Amino acid sequence: MELLGLFVLFLFVWIALKILAVIFNVTIFAIALPFQIIGIFLVCLFFFLFAIPLGIFAGLAGLLIAPFWVFVQFLPILLIIFGIYLLVKNA
């Protein structure tokens, strides 16, 4: 009989702990919700103030640097031609 009473007591304690866990989980969510909202706001603010202008700047820089990059690819050939020109001019 004592064993049955112990099991019933264990069942009530288990149910009480489950209810407490559910309440605690909701409480943690309720406490964390404002911080999550502030975090989302800060991420959006960072994105609009820094990421978009930097993306536009990088795009414009790419458009301006691309012609020079094509020129750099032909630089060894141009240097060889310039060296041959200097040799022929001095001869």
Side-chain angles (χ1 to χ4, degrees):
M1 193 62 144
E2 291 85 18
L3 193 58
L4 183 61
L6 190 62
F7 284 145
V8 170
L9 183 63
F10 177 72
L11 178 69
F12 286 141
V13 169
W14 182 69
I15 290 173
L17 287 176
K18 282 291 191 179
I19 291 172
L20 187 63
V22 168
I23 291 171
F24 184 68
N25 190 12
V26 170
T27 305
I28 290 297
F29 177 73
I31 290 171
L33 185 60
F35 295 112
Q36 290 177 349
I37 292 171
I38 290 171
I40 290 172
F41 175 73
L42 289 176
V43 165
C44 291
L45 185 70
F46 172 77
F47 183 74
F48 285 116
L49 290 180
F50 294 110
I52 291 178
L54 286 177
I56 292 171
F57 176 72
L60 290 175
L63 287 174
L64 295 174
I65 293 173
F68 296 113
W69 185 250
V70 172
F71 174 72
V72 168
Q73 299 296 320
F74 293 110
L75 193 60
I77 297 170
L78 293 174
L79 287 174
I80 292 171
I81 292 172
F82 183 67
I84 293 172
Y85 168 75
L86 290 177
L87 285 174
V88 171
K89 186 178 111 172
N90 287 338

Coordinates of all heavy atoms in Angstrom, one line a residue:
M1 N 0.8 -1.2 0.0 CA 0.0 0.0 0.0 C 0.9 1.3 0.0 O 0.5 2.2 -0.7 CB -0.9 0.0 1.2 CG -2.0 1.0 1.1 SD -3.0 0.7 -0.3 CE -4.6 1.1 0.3
E2 N 2.0 1.2 0.7 CA 2.9 2.4 0.7 C 3.5 2.6 -0.6 O 3.7 3.8 -1.0 CB 4.0 2.2 1.8 CG 3.5 2.2 3.2 CD 3.0 0.8 3.6 OE1 3.4 -0.2 2.9 OE2 2.3 0.7 4.6
L3 N 3.7 1.5 -1.4 CA 4.3 1.6 -2.7 C 3.3 2.4 -3.6 O 3.7 3.2 -4.4 CB 4.7 0.3 -3.2 CG 5.6 0.2 -4.5 CD1 6.9 1.0 -4.2 CD2 5.8 -1.2 -4.9
L4 N 2.0 2.0 -3.5 CA 1.0 2.7 -4.4 C 0.9 4.2 -4.0 O 0.8 5.0 -4.9 CB -0.4 2.0 -4.1 CG -1.5 2.5 -5.0 CD1 -1.2 2.3 -6.5 CD2 -2.8 1.8 -4.6
G5 N 1.0 4.5 -2.7 CA 0.9 5.9 -2.3 C 2.2 6.7 -2.8 O 2.1 7.8 -3.2
L6 N 3.3 6.0 -2.8 CA 4.5 6.6 -3.4 C 4.4 6.9 -4.9 O 4.8 7.9 -5.3 CB 5.7 5.7 -3.1 CG 7.1 6.2 -3.3 CD1 7.4 7.5 -2.5 CD2 8.1 5.2 -3.1
F7 N 3.8 5.9 -5.6 CA 3.6 6.1 -7.0 C 2.6 7.2 -7.3 O 2.8 8.0 -8.2 CB 3.1 4.8 -7.7 CG 4.2 3.8 -7.9 CD1 3.9 2.5 -7.8 CD2 5.5 4.2 -8.2 CE1 4.9 1.5 -7.9 CE2 6.5 3.2 -8.3 CZ 6.2 1.9 -8.2
V8 N 1.6 7.4 -6.5 CA 0.6 8.4 -6.7 C 1.3 9.8 -6.4 O 1.1 10.8 -7.1 CB -0.6 8.2 -5.8 CG1 -1.5 9.4 -5.8 CG2 -1.4 7.0 -6.3
L9 N 2.1 9.8 -5.3 CA 2.8 11.0 -5.0 C 3.8 11.4 -6.1 O 3.9 12.6 -6.5 CB 3.6 10.8 -3.7 CG 4.3 12.1 -3.2 CD1 3.4 13.2 -2.8 CD2 5.1 11.7 -2.0
F10 N 4.5 10.4 -6.7 CA 5.4 10.6 -7.8 C 4.6 11.2 -9.0 O 5.1 12.1 -9.7 CB 6.1 9.3 -8.1 CG 7.0 9.5 -9.3 CD1 8.2 10.2 -9.2 CD2 6.6 8.9 -10.5 CE1 9.0 10.3 -10.3 CE2 7.5 9.0 -11.6 CZ 8.6 9.7 -11.5
L11 N 3.4 10.6 -9.2 CA 2.6 11.1 -10.4 C 2.2 12.6 -10.2 O 2.3 13.4 -11.1 CB 1.3 10.2 -10.5 CG 0.3 10.6 -11.6 CD1 1.0 10.4 -13.0 CD2 -1.0 9.9 -11.5
F12 N 1.8 13.0 -9.0 CA 1.4 14.4 -8.7 C 2.6 15.3 -8.9 O 2.5 16.4 -9.4 CB 0.7 14.5 -7.3 CG -0.7 14.0 -7.3 CD1 -1.1 13.3 -6.2 CD2 -1.5 14.2 -8.3 CE1 -2.4 12.8 -6.1 CE2 -2.8 13.7 -8.3 CZ -3.3 13.0 -7.2
V13 N 3.7 14.9 -8.4 CA 4.9 15.7 -8.5 C 5.3 15.8 -10.0 O 5.7 16.9 -10.4 CB 6.1 15.1 -7.7 CG1 7.4 15.8 -8.0 CG2 5.8 15.2 -6.2
W14 N 5.2 14.7 -10.7 CA 5.5 14.8 -12.1 C 4.6 15.7 -12.9 O 5.0 16.5 -13.7 CB 5.4 13.3 -12.7 CG 5.8 13.2 -14.1 CD1 7.0 13.4 -14.7 CD2 4.9 13.0 -15.2 NE1 7.0 13.3 -16.1 CE2 5.7 13.0 -16.4 CE3 3.5 12.7 -15.3 CZ2 5.1 12.8 -17.6 CZ3 3.0 12.5 -16.5 CH2 3.8 12.5 -17.7
I15 N 3.3 15.7 -12.6 CA 2.3 16.6 -13.2 C 2.6 18.0 -12.9 O 2.5 18.9 -13.7 CB 0.9 16.1 -12.9 CG1 0.5 14.8 -13.6 CG2 -0.1 17.2 -13.3 CD1 -0.8 14.2 -13.1
A16 N 2.9 18.3 -11.6 CA 3.2 19.6 -11.1 C 4.4 20.2 -11.8 O 4.5 21.3 -12.3 CB 3.4 19.6 -9.6
L17 N 5.5 19.3 -12.0 CA 6.7 19.8 -12.7 C 6.4 20.0 -14.2 O 7.0 21.0 -14.8 CB 7.8 18.8 -12.5 CG 8.4 18.7 -11.1 CD1 9.4 17.6 -11.0 CD2 9.0 20.0 -10.8
K18 N 5.5 19.2 -14.8 CA 5.2 19.4 -16.2 C 4.4 20.8 -16.3 O 4.7 21.5 -17.3 CB 4.3 18.3 -16.7 CG 5.0 17.1 -17.1 CD 5.9 17.3 -18.3 CE 6.4 16.0 -18.8 NZ 7.2 16.2 -20.0
I19 N 3.5 21.1 -15.5 CA 2.8 22.3 -15.5 C 3.7 23.5 -15.3 O 3.7 24.5 -16.0 CB 1.6 22.3 -14.5 CG1 0.6 21.3 -14.9 CG2 1.0 23.7 -14.4 CD1 -0.5 21.1 -13.9
L20 N 4.6 23.4 -14.3 CA 5.6 24.4 -14.1 C 6.5 24.6 -15.3 O 6.9 25.7 -15.7 CB 6.5 24.0 -12.9 CG 7.4 25.1 -12.4 CD1 6.7 26.3 -11.9 CD2 8.3 24.5 -11.2
A21 N 6.9 23.5 -16.0 CA 7.7 23.6 -17.2 C 7.0 24.4 -18.3 O 7.6 25.2 -19.0 CB 8.2 22.2 -17.6
V22 N 5.7 24.1 -18.5 CA 4.9 24.8 -19.5 C 4.9 26.3 -19.2 O 5.0 27.1 -20.0 CB 3.5 24.1 -19.6 CG1 2.6 25.0 -20.5 CG2 3.6 22.8 -20.2
I23 N 4.6 26.6 -17.9 CA 4.5 28.0 -17.5 C 5.9 28.7 -17.7 O 5.9 29.8 -18.2 CB 4.0 28.1 -16.1 CG1 2.6 27.7 -16.0 CG2 4.2 29.5 -15.5 CD1 2.0 27.6 -14.6
F24 N 6.9 28.0 -17.3 CA 8.3 28.6 -17.4 C 8.6 28.8 -18.9 O 9.2 29.8 -19.2 CB 9.3 27.7 -16.8 CG 10.7 28.2 -16.8 CD1 11.0 29.3 -16.0 CD2 11.7 27.6 -17.5 CE1 12.3 29.9 -16.0 CE2 13.0 28.2 -17.5 CZ 13.2 29.3 -16.8
N25 N 8.2 27.9 -19.8 CA 8.5 28.0 -21.2 C 7.8 29.2 -21.8 O 8.4 30.0 -22.5 CB 8.1 26.7 -21.9 CG 8.6 26.7 -23.4 OD1 9.4 27.6 -23.7 ND2 8.1 25.8 -24.1
V26 N 6.6 29.4 -21.4 CA 5.8 30.6 -21.9 C 6.4 31.8 -21.3 O 6.5 32.9 -22.0 CB 4.3 30.4 -21.5 CG1 3.6 31.7 -21.8 CG2 3.7 29.3 -22.3
T27 N 6.8 31.8 -20.0 CA 7.4 33.0 -19.4 C 8.7 33.4 -20.1 O 8.9 34.5 -20.4 CB 7.7 32.7 -17.9 OG1 6.5 32.2 -17.3 CG2 8.2 33.9 -17.2
I28 N 9.6 32.4 -20.4 CA 10.8 32.7 -21.1 C 10.5 33.3 -22.5 O 11.2 34.3 -22.9 CB 11.7 31.4 -21.2 CG1 12.2 31.0 -19.9 CG2 12.8 31.6 -22.2 CD1 13.1 32.1 -19.2
F29 N 9.5 32.7 -23.2 CA 9.2 33.3 -24.5 C 8.6 34.7 -24.3 O 9.0 35.6 -25.1 CB 8.1 32.4 -25.1 CG 7.6 32.9 -26.5 CD1 8.4 32.9 -27.6 CD2 6.4 33.5 -26.6 CE1 8.0 33.4 -28.8 CE2 6.0 34.0 -27.8 CZ 6.8 34.0 -28.9
A30 N 7.8 35.0 -23.3 CA 7.3 36.3 -23.1 C 8.4 37.3 -22.8 O 8.3 38.5 -23.2 CB 6.2 36.3 -22.1
I31 N 9.4 36.9 -22.0 CA 10.5 37.8 -21.7 C 11.4 38.0 -22.9 O 11.9 39.1 -23.1 CB 11.3 37.2 -20.5 CG1 10.5 37.2 -19.2 CG2 12.6 37.9 -20.3 CD1 11.1 36.5 -18.1
A32 N 11.6 37.0 -23.7 CA 12.5 37.1 -24.8 C 11.9 37.8 -26.0 O 12.6 38.3 -26.9 CB 13.0 35.7 -25.2
L33 N 10.6 37.9 -26.1 CA 9.9 38.4 -27.3 C 10.3 39.9 -27.6 O 10.7 40.2 -28.7 CB 8.4 38.3 -27.2 CG 7.6 38.7 -28.4 CD1 8.0 37.9 -29.6 CD2 6.1 38.6 -28.1
P34 N 10.4 40.8 -26.6 CA 10.8 42.2 -26.9 C 12.2 42.2 -27.4 O 12.5 43.0 -28.3 CB 10.7 42.9 -25.6 CG 9.8 42.1 -24.8 CD 9.9 40.7 -25.2
F35 N 13.1 41.4 -26.9 CA 14.5 41.4 -27.4 C 14.6 40.8 -28.8 O 15.4 41.3 -29.6 CB 15.4 40.5 -26.5 CG 15.5 41.1 -25.1 CD1 14.9 40.4 -24.0 CD2 16.2 42.3 -24.9 CE1 15.0 41.0 -22.7 CE2 16.3 42.8 -23.6 CZ 15.7 42.2 -22.5
Q36 N 13.7 39.9 -29.2 CA 13.7 39.4 -30.5 C 13.2 40.5 -31.5 O 13.7 40.7 -32.6 CB 12.8 38.2 -30.6 CG 13.4 37.0 -30.0 CD 12.4 35.8 -30.0 OE1 11.3 35.9 -30.4 NE2 13.0 34.6 -29.7
I37 N 12.2 41.2 -31.0 CA 11.7 42.3 -31.9 C 12.7 43.4 -32.1 O 12.9 43.9 -33.2 CB 10.4 42.9 -31.2 CG1 9.3 41.9 -31.3 CG2 10.0 44.2 -31.9 CD1 8.0 42.3 -30.5
I38 N 13.4 43.8 -31.0 CA 14.5 44.8 -31.1 C 15.6 44.2 -32.0 O 16.2 45.0 -32.8 CB 15.1 45.1 -29.7 CG1 14.0 45.9 -28.9 CG2 16.4 45.9 -29.8 CD1 14.4 46.1 -27.4
G39 N 15.9 43.0 -31.9 CA 17.0 42.4 -32.8 C 16.6 42.4 -34.2 O 17.4 42.8 -35.1
I40 N 15.3 42.1 -34.5 CA 14.8 42.2 -35.9 C 14.9 43.6 -36.4 O 15.3 43.9 -37.6 CB 13.4 41.6 -36.0 CG1 13.4 40.1 -35.8 CG2 12.8 42.0 -37.4 CD1 12.1 39.5 -35.7
F41 N 14.5 44.6 -35.6 CA 14.6 46.0 -35.9 C 16.0 46.4 -36.2 O 16.3 47.1 -37.2 CB 14.0 46.9 -34.8 CG 14.1 48.3 -35.1 CD1 13.4 49.0 -36.0 CD2 15.0 49.1 -34.4 CE1 13.5 50.3 -36.3 CE2 15.2 50.4 -34.6 CZ 14.4 51.0 -35.6
L42 N 17.0 46.0 -35.4 CA 18.4 46.4 -35.6 C 18.9 45.7 -36.8 O 19.7 46.4 -37.6 CB 19.2 46.0 -34.4 CG 18.9 46.8 -33.1 CD1 19.7 46.3 -31.9 CD2 19.2 48.3 -33.4
V43 N 18.5 44.5 -37.1 CA 19.0 43.9 -38.4 C 18.5 44.6 -39.6 O 19.3 44.8 -40.5 CB 18.6 42.4 -38.4 CG1 18.8 41.8 -39.7 CG2 19.4 41.6 -37.4
C44 N 17.2 45.0 -39.6 CA 16.7 45.7 -40.7 C 17.4 47.1 -40.8 O 17.7 47.5 -42.0 CB 15.2 45.9 -40.5 SG 14.3 44.4 -40.7
L45 N 17.6 47.7 -39.7 CA 18.3 49.0 -39.7 C 19.7 48.9 -40.3 O 20.1 49.7 -41.2 CB 18.3 49.6 -38.3 CG 18.9 51.0 -38.2 CD1 17.9 52.0 -38.8 CD2 19.1 51.3 -36.7
F46 N 20.4 47.9 -39.8 CA 21.8 47.7 -40.4 C 21.7 47.4 -41.9 O 22.5 47.9 -42.6 CB 22.4 46.5 -39.6 CG 23.7 46.0 -40.2 CD1 24.9 46.8 -40.0 CD2 23.8 44.9 -41.1 CE1 26.1 46.4 -40.6 CE2 25.0 44.5 -41.6 CZ 26.1 45.3 -41.4
F47 N 20.8 46.6 -42.3 CA 20.7 46.2 -43.7 C 20.4 47.4 -44.6 O 21.1 47.6 -45.6 CB 19.6 45.2 -43.9 CG 19.5 44.7 -45.3 CD1 20.4 43.8 -45.8 CD2 18.4 45.1 -46.1 CE1 20.3 43.4 -47.1 CE2 18.3 44.7 -47.4 CZ 19.3 43.8 -47.9
F48 N 19.5 48.3 -44.1 CA 19.2 49.4 -45.0 C 20.2 50.6 -44.9 O 20.4 51.3 -45.8 CB 17.8 50.0 -44.6 CG 16.7 49.1 -45.1 CD1 15.8 48.5 -44.2 CD2 16.5 49.0 -46.5 CE1 14.8 47.7 -44.7 CE2 15.5 48.2 -47.0 CZ 14.6 47.5 -46.1
L49 N 20.9 50.7 -43.7 CA 21.9 51.7 -43.6 C 23.3 51.4 -44.1 O 24.1 52.2 -44.5 CB 22.0 52.2 -42.1 CG 20.8 52.9 -41.6 CD1 21.0 53.3 -40.1 CD2 20.5 54.2 -42.4
F50 N 23.6 50.1 -44.1 CA 25.0 49.7 -44.4 C 25.0 48.7 -45.6 O 25.8 49.0 -46.6 CB 25.7 49.0 -43.2 CG 25.9 49.9 -42.1 CD1 25.2 49.8 -40.9 CD2 26.8 51.0 -42.2 CE1 25.4 50.7 -39.9 CE2 27.0 51.9 -41.2 CZ 26.3 51.7 -40.0
A51 N 24.2 47.7 -45.6 CA 24.4 46.7 -46.7 C 24.0 47.2 -48.0 O 24.7 46.9 -49.0 CB 23.6 45.4 -46.3
I52 N 22.9 47.8 -48.1 CA 22.4 48.3 -49.4 C 23.3 49.4 -50.0 O 23.8 49.3 -51.2 CB 20.9 48.8 -49.4 CG1 20.0 47.6 -49.1 CG2 20.6 49.6 -50.6 CD1 18.6 48.0 -49.0
P53 N 23.8 50.4 -49.2 CA 24.7 51.4 -49.8 C 26.0 50.7 -50.2 O 26.6 51.1 -51.2 CB 24.9 52.4 -48.7 CG 23.7 52.3 -47.9 CD 23.3 50.9 -47.9
L54 N 26.5 49.8 -49.4 CA 27.8 49.1 -49.7 C 27.6 48.3 -51.0 O 28.5 48.2 -51.8 CB 28.3 48.3 -48.6 CG 28.9 49.0 -47.4 CD1 29.2 48.1 -46.3 CD2 30.1 49.8 -47.8
G55 N 26.5 47.7 -51.2 CA 26.2 46.9 -52.4 C 26.2 47.8 -53.6 O 26.7 47.4 -54.7
I56 N 25.5 49.0 -53.5 CA 25.5 49.9 -54.6 C 26.9 50.4 -54.9 O 27.3 50.5 -56.1 CB 24.6 51.1 -54.3 CG1 23.1 50.6 -54.2 CG2 24.7 52.2 -55.3 CD1 22.1 51.6 -53.7
F57 N 27.7 50.7 -53.9 CA 29.1 51.2 -54.0 C 29.9 50.1 -54.7 O 30.7 50.4 -55.6 CB 29.7 51.5 -52.7 CG 31.1 51.9 -52.8 CD1 31.5 53.1 -53.3 CD2 32.1 51.0 -52.3 CE1 32.9 53.4 -53.4 CE2 33.4 51.4 -52.4 CZ 33.8 52.6 -52.9
A58 N 29.8 48.8 -54.3 CA 30.5 47.7 -54.9 C 30.1 47.5 -56.4 O 31.0 47.3 -57.2 CB 30.3 46.4 -54.1
G59 N 28.8 47.7 -56.7 CA 28.4 47.6 -58.1 C 29.0 48.6 -58.9 O 29.5 48.4 -60.0
L60 N 29.0 49.9 -58.4 CA 29.6 51.0 -59.2 C 31.1 50.8 -59.3 O 31.6 51.1 -60.4 CB 29.2 52.3 -58.5 CG 27.8 52.7 -58.6 CD1 27.6 54.0 -57.8 CD2 27.4 52.9 -60.1
A61 N 31.7 50.4 -58.3 CA 33.2 50.2 -58.3 C 33.5 49.1 -59.4 O 34.5 49.1 -60.1 CB 33.7 49.8 -57.0
G62 N 32.7 48.0 -59.4 CA 32.9 47.0 -60.4 C 32.7 47.5 -61.8 O 33.4 47.1 -62.7
L63 N 31.7 48.4 -62.0 CA 31.5 48.9 -63.4 C 32.7 49.8 -63.8 O 33.1 49.9 -64.9 CB 30.2 49.7 -63.4 CG 29.0 48.9 -63.4 CD1 27.8 49.8 -63.3 CD2 28.9 48.0 -64.7
L64 N 33.3 50.5 -62.8 CA 34.4 51.4 -63.1 C 35.7 50.6 -63.3 O 36.6 51.0 -64.1 CB 34.6 52.5 -62.1 CG 33.4 53.4 -62.0 CD1 33.6 54.4 -60.8 CD2 33.2 54.2 -63.3
I65 N 35.9 49.5 -62.5 CA 37.2 48.8 -62.5 C 37.2 47.8 -63.6 O 38.3 47.4 -64.1 CB 37.4 48.2 -61.1 CG1 37.6 49.3 -60.1 CG2 38.6 47.2 -61.1 CD1 37.7 48.8 -58.7
A66 N 36.1 47.3 -64.1 CA 36.1 46.2 -65.1 C 36.9 46.6 -66.4 O 37.6 45.7 -66.9 CB 34.6 45.9 -65.5
P67 N 36.8 47.8 -67.0 CA 37.6 48.1 -68.2 C 39.1 48.0 -67.9 O 39.9 47.5 -68.7 CB 37.2 49.5 -68.6 CG 35.9 49.7 -68.0 CD 35.9 48.9 -66.7
F68 N 39.5 48.5 -66.7 CA 40.9 48.4 -66.3 C 41.4 46.9 -66.1 O 42.5 46.6 -66.4 CB 41.2 49.2 -65.1 CG 41.0 50.7 -65.3 CD1 40.0 51.3 -64.6 CD2 41.8 51.4 -66.2 CE1 39.7 52.7 -64.8 CE2 41.6 52.7 -66.4 CZ 40.5 53.4 -65.7
W69 N 40.5 46.1 -65.6 CA 40.8 44.7 -65.4 C 41.0 44.0 -66.8 O 41.9 43.2 -66.9 CB 39.7 44.0 -64.7 CG 40.0 42.6 -64.3 CD1 39.5 41.5 -64.9 CD2 41.0 42.1 -63.4 NE1 40.1 40.3 -64.3 CE2 41.0 40.7 -63.4 CE3 42.0 42.8 -62.6 CZ2 41.9 40.0 -62.7 CZ3 42.8 42.0 -61.8 CH2 42.8 40.6 -61.9
V70 N 40.3 44.4 -67.8 CA 40.5 43.8 -69.1 C 41.8 44.3 -69.7 O 42.6 43.5 -70.3 CB 39.3 44.2 -70.1 CG1 39.6 43.9 -71.5 CG2 38.0 43.6 -69.6
F71 N 42.2 45.5 -69.4 CA 43.5 46.0 -69.8 C 44.6 45.3 -69.1 O 45.7 45.0 -69.7 CB 43.6 47.5 -69.5 CG 44.9 48.1 -69.8 CD1 45.4 48.3 -71.1 CD2 45.8 48.5 -68.7 CE1 46.6 48.9 -71.3 CE2 47.0 49.0 -69.0 CZ 47.4 49.2 -70.3
V72 N 44.5 45.0 -67.8 CA 45.5 44.3 -67.1 C 45.7 42.9 -67.6 O 46.9 42.4 -67.6 CB 45.1 44.2 -65.6 CG1 46.0 43.3 -64.8 CG2 45.2 45.6 -65.0
Q73 N 44.7 42.3 -68.2 CA 44.9 40.9 -68.8 C 45.8 41.0 -70.0 O 46.5 40.0 -70.3 CB 43.5 40.4 -69.2 CG 42.5 40.2 -68.1 CD 43.0 39.2 -67.0 OE1 43.6 38.2 -67.3 NE2 42.8 39.6 -65.8
F74 N 45.8 42.1 -70.7 CA 46.7 42.2 -71.9 C 48.0 42.9 -71.6 O 48.8 43.2 -72.5 CB 45.9 42.9 -73.0 CG 44.8 42.2 -73.6 CD1 43.5 42.6 -73.3 CD2 45.0 41.0 -74.3 CE1 42.4 41.9 -73.8 CE2 43.9 40.3 -74.8 CZ 42.6 40.7 -74.6
L75 N 48.2 43.2 -70.4 CA 49.4 43.9 -70.0 C 50.7 43.2 -70.4 O 51.7 43.9 -70.9 CB 49.4 44.3 -68.5 CG 50.4 45.3 -68.0 CD1 50.2 46.6 -68.7 CD2 50.3 45.5 -66.5
P76 N 50.9 41.9 -70.2 CA 52.1 41.3 -70.6 C 52.4 41.4 -72.1 O 53.5 41.7 -72.5 CB 52.0 39.8 -70.2 CG 51.0 39.8 -69.1 CD 50.0 41.0 -69.4
I77 N 51.3 41.2 -72.9 CA 51.5 41.4 -74.3 C 51.9 42.8 -74.7 O 52.8 43.0 -75.6 CB 50.2 40.9 -75.1 CG1 49.9 39.5 -74.8 CG2 50.3 41.2 -76.5 CD1 48.6 39.0 -75.2
L78 N 51.2 43.8 -74.1 CA 51.6 45.2 -74.4 C 53.0 45.5 -73.9 O 53.7 46.3 -74.6 CB 50.6 46.1 -73.6 CG 49.1 46.0 -74.2 CD1 48.2 46.9 -73.3 CD2 49.1 46.5 -75.6
L79 N 53.5 44.9 -72.8 CA 54.8 45.2 -72.4 C 55.8 44.6 -73.4 O 56.9 45.2 -73.6 CB 55.1 44.7 -71.0 CG 54.4 45.5 -69.8 CD1 54.6 44.7 -68.5 CD2 55.0 46.9 -69.8
I80 N 55.6 43.4 -73.9 CA 56.4 42.8 -74.9 C 56.5 43.6 -76.1 O 57.6 43.9 -76.7 CB 56.0 41.3 -75.2 CG1 56.2 40.5 -73.9 CG2 56.7 40.8 -76.4 CD1 55.6 39.1 -74.0
I81 N 55.3 44.1 -76.6 CA 55.3 44.9 -77.8 C 56.0 46.2 -77.5 O 56.8 46.7 -78.4 CB 53.8 45.2 -78.2 CG1 53.2 43.9 -78.7 CG2 53.7 46.3 -79.3 CD1 51.7 44.0 -78.9
F82 N 55.9 46.8 -76.4 CA 56.6 48.1 -76.0 C 58.1 47.9 -76.0 O 58.9 48.7 -76.4 CB 56.1 48.6 -74.7 CG 56.7 49.9 -74.3 CD1 56.4 51.1 -75.0 CD2 57.5 50.0 -73.2 CE1 57.0 52.3 -74.7 CE2 58.1 51.2 -72.8 CZ 57.8 52.4 -73.6
G83 N 58.5 46.7 -75.4 CA 59.9 46.4 -75.4 C 60.5 46.2 -76.8 O 61.6 46.7 -77.1
I84 N 59.8 45.5 -77.7 CA 60.2 45.4 -79.1 C 60.3 46.8 -79.8 O 61.2 47.0 -80.5 CB 59.3 44.4 -79.8 CG1 59.4 43.0 -79.3 CG2 59.5 44.4 -81.3 CD1 58.4 42.0 -79.8
Y85 N 59.3 47.6 -79.5 CA 59.3 49.0 -80.0 C 60.5 49.7 -79.6 O 61.2 50.4 -80.4 CB 58.0 49.7 -79.6 CG 58.1 51.2 -79.9 CD1 57.9 51.7 -81.2 CD2 58.2 52.1 -78.9 CE1 58.0 53.0 -81.4 CE2 58.3 53.5 -79.1 CZ 58.2 53.9 -80.4 OH 58.2 55.3 -80.6
L86 N 60.9 49.6 -78.3 CA 62.1 50.3 -77.8 C 63.4 49.8 -78.5 O 64.3 50.5 -78.8 CB 62.2 50.2 -76.3 CG 61.1 51.1 -75.5 CD1 61.3 50.8 -74.0 CD2 61.3 52.5 -75.8
L87 N 63.4 48.5 -78.7 CA 64.6 47.9 -79.3 C 64.7 48.3 -80.8 O 65.8 48.6 -81.3 CB 64.5 46.4 -79.2 CG 64.8 45.7 -77.9 CD1 64.6 44.2 -77.9 CD2 66.3 46.0 -77.5
V88 N 63.6 48.4 -81.5 CA 63.6 48.8 -82.9 C 63.9 50.3 -83.0 O 64.7 50.7 -83.9 CB 62.3 48.4 -83.6 CG1 62.2 49.0 -85.0 CG2 62.1 46.9 -83.6
K89 N 63.4 51.1 -82.1 CA 63.6 52.5 -82.1 C 65.1 52.9 -81.9 O 65.6 53.8 -82.5 CB 62.8 53.2 -81.1 CG 62.8 54.7 -81.1 CD 61.9 55.3 -80.1 CE 62.8 55.9 -79.0 NZ 62.1 56.7 -78.0
N90 N 65.8 52.1 -81.0 CA 67.2 52.4 -80.8 C 68.1 51.9 -81.8 O 69.3 52.3 -81.9 CB 67.6 51.8 -79.4 CG 67.0 52.6 -78.2 OD1 66.7 53.8 -78.4 ND2 66.9 52.0 -77.1
A91 N 67.7 50.9 -82.6 CA 68.5 50.3 -83.6 C 68.7 51.2 -84.8 O 68.3 52.2 -85.2 CB 68.0 49.0 -84.1

